[in-house]
Amino acid sequence: MSELKIGNSKVLESRETPDGTMIRRRRQAADGRRFTTYERIEMPVIRVVKRSGNHETFDRDKLLTSVRRSVGKFFNSDMEVEAVVDKVVEKVYDKGTDAVESKEIGEAILDVLADVNEVAYVRFASVFLQFTSMDEFENIIREQKTKKSKK
């Protein structure tokens, strides 16, 4: 199969995603084949401070891979996982700082999961908070039930 050349294509349709973070374009190559491209807004660079004290650049794709690997099986589609990651990324950038601790990212993931998928929340919490006993599972479930009943 030959490569598609974006430069020789024409845009048939452009749409902004509902959350306003990307533009989806339907294109047609010179040979008539159609394809889709996505443009994502480039965000400012944020450094992640790891538990070890090391720093690395915040990477949405790395976050997506981690969430997909750890709790993706508890969702019906990749789009649901993407939505979780989008909310976490928004929380990270809303902090308005150029550095964020990895612990804060984990807490943001927990906050989002608590609202969208209880099983994924408990699964992620068990790893993130390093559960070592059944009591810790029971406690987090009890806390989550209490929070939900107050809403």
Side-chain angles (χ1 to χ4, degrees):
M1 179 179 230
S2 63
E3 286 188 29
L4 293 170
K5 302 265 190 224
I6 293 175
N8 294 338
S9 66
K10 67 178 180 178
V11 175
L12 302 174
E13 174 188 9
S14 290
R15 288 191 184 175
E16 192 173 294
T17 57
D19 64 1
T21 60
M22 286 193 298
I23 296 174
R24 175 186 175 272
R25 298 194 196 282
R26 284 296 294 155
R27 296 177 173 266
Q28 185 171 358
D31 63 4
R33 290 185 294 170
R34 293 182 178 202
F35 60 100
T36 303
T37 60
Y38 293 90
E39 295 176 22
R40 186 182 308 274
I41 296 171
E42 190 171 321
M43 303 298 281
V45 175
I46 293 181
R47 290 177 296 114
V48 177
V49 181
K50 307 293 271 181
R51 287 182 187 174
S52 65
N54 293 336
H55 292 202
E56 65 181 53
T57 302
F58 179 73
D59 182 350
R60 182 192 183 284
D61 291 333
K62 183 175 178 182
L63 176 64
L64 177 63
T65 300
S66 297
V67 171
R68 189 179 286 140
R69 187 178 302 131
S70 63
V71 295
K73 63 186 167 199
F74 299 106
F75 291 92
N76 295 321
S77 72
D78 252 3
M79 293 305 288
E80 290 179 358
V81 177
E82 288 266 357
V84 167
V85 170
D86 287 343
K87 290 176 185 174
V88 172
V89 169
E90 186 177 327
K91 286 178 177 273
V92 169
Y93 280 97
D94 282 351
K95 290 187 174 292
T97 62
D98 63 348
V100 63
E101 292 185 24
S102 58
K103 179 181 176 184
E104 293 175 280
I105 295 172
E107 290 167 353
I109 294 169
L110 279 176
D111 287 346
V112 173
L113 290 176
D115 292 334
V116 297
N117 188 309
E118 294 172 331
V119 177
Y121 170 81
V122 173
R123 167 74 170 100
F124 188 82
S126 70
V127 175
F128 176 66
L129 301 173
Q130 301 173 344
F131 288 1
T132 57
S133 72
M134 291 298 291
D135 290 336
E136 291 172 296
F137 279 95
E138 291 172 355
N139 290 340
I140 199 94
I141 291 168
R142 193 176 312 106
E143 288 173 17
Q144 192 59 19
K145 284 183 177 181
T146 302
K147 286 179 187 175
K148 269 197 150 177
S149 67
K150 290 181 181 180
K151 286 185 177 182

